[in-house]
Amino acid sequence: MEYIDLKGMSCPQPVIETKKLLESKRVEELNALVDNGPPRENVTRYLESQGYCVSVEKEHGDSAVLRATKAEGYDAVSVQTGKKILVLIDGATVGRGDDVLGTVLMKSFLHTLKEIEPRPWRIVFINAGVKLAVEGSDLLNVLDQLESLGVEILSCGTCLDFFQVKERLAAGKVTNMYEIVSSLVAATNVIRP
């Protein structure tokens, strides 16, 4: 039985420390001391996503001891490969506020998608997001890299028409609202930066 003290750590440190422990050795059972509230919820969700059954062992006022036991028959590889992650991008920036910062964040976000596992199944561009997939976009290189890694790149045809850039599409293919909605329904996870 492993034990980890996550009390007093700010987000996302409790999850990161739990992840490090699970990656460093095979852990069948784990007791984790966590603060109640978001740390407890986040660590519980993370452990469950890794195939653990989680229960509260003890309550200590503002903290709790979580008991996590590896579920029998859990196969992380098959769980990960069964995911269909869809990324929905509806603008040229990430977040609201400063567009220069938002542009930097979008570039970083797309580059990071190449490094995560499992990779997205599809990236769908809608509204002003379609401008990222047309000639002149400084993100075409990363979109090409993602495509070469097996990620489908789809851009809304109505949106491309609206911005009069359909003939300039340089990454991926044109799609329609039916395929977009069908993709959203089929996805196991949708990420919207």
Side-chain angles (χ1 to χ4, degrees):
M1 165 88 64
E2 295 292 325
Y3 176 81
I4 186 167
D5 185 347
L6 305 168
K7 192 160 173 26
M9 295 182 183
S10 59
C11 183
Q13 205 59 40
V15 171
I16 291 170
E17 293 303 316
T18 304
K19 181 177 186 284
K20 284 181 186 176
L21 175 65
L22 298 183
E23 289 175 345
S24 70
K25 59 177 93 171
R26 184 178 173 92
V27 178
E28 295 297 323
E29 292 184 49
L30 168 71
N31 278 351
L33 176 62
V34 294
D35 292 316
N36 281 323
R40 175 177 165 174
E41 295 164 13
N42 293 338
V43 170
T44 297
R45 274 195 307 274
Y46 174 74
L47 287 167
E48 289 173 343
S49 77
Q50 299 304 301
Y52 288 84
C53 296
V54 182
S55 61
V56 177
E57 181 80 8
K58 295 178 189 169
E59 290 279 345
H60 298 286
D62 63 346
S63 64
V65 175
L66 300 177
R67 182 177 180 91
T69 306
K70 191 75 166 178
E72 286 191 39
Y74 178 83
D75 179 3
V77 174
S78 65
V79 169
Q80 291 290 1
T81 57
K83 286 188 175 183
K84 287 180 106 172
I85 300 170
L86 182 135
V87 177
L88 182 67
I89 297 178
D90 63 356
T93 62
V94 172
R96 295 183 184 173
D98 187 89
D99 285 345
V100 173
L101 173 60
T103 300
V104 171
L105 293 174
M106 179 61 77
K107 186 174 189 175
S108 178
F109 175 80
L110 289 172
H111 278 282
T112 302
L113 288 178
K114 297 183 308 182
E115 306 305 323
I116 63 166
E117 288 292 337
R119 285 193 189 88
W121 158 55
R122 286 184 171 160
I123 300 175
V124 176
F125 293 97
I126 61 171
N127 208 326
V130 298
K131 294 178 181 180
L132 300 176
V134 300
E135 293 170 357
S137 167
D138 62 345
L139 298 176
L140 291 178
N141 186 40
V142 68
L143 294 178
D144 288 342
Q145 291 171 16
L146 284 161
E147 239 181 339
S148 72
L149 292 170
V151 179
E152 290 183 69
I153 309 292
L154 305 174
S155 292
C156 167
T158 301
C159 305
L160 291 164
D161 286 338
F162 179 83
F163 292 109
Q164 300 176 351
V165 293
K166 191 180 247 178
E167 67 284 345
R168 294 179 40 218
L169 184 66
K173 66 179 185 175
V174 177
T175 191
N176 57 64
M177 191 55 68
Y178 184 85
E179 185 174 23
I180 292 170
V181 173
S182 296
S183 296
L184 288 166
V185 170
T188 56
N189 299 78
V190 176
I191 299 171
R192 186 172 169 223

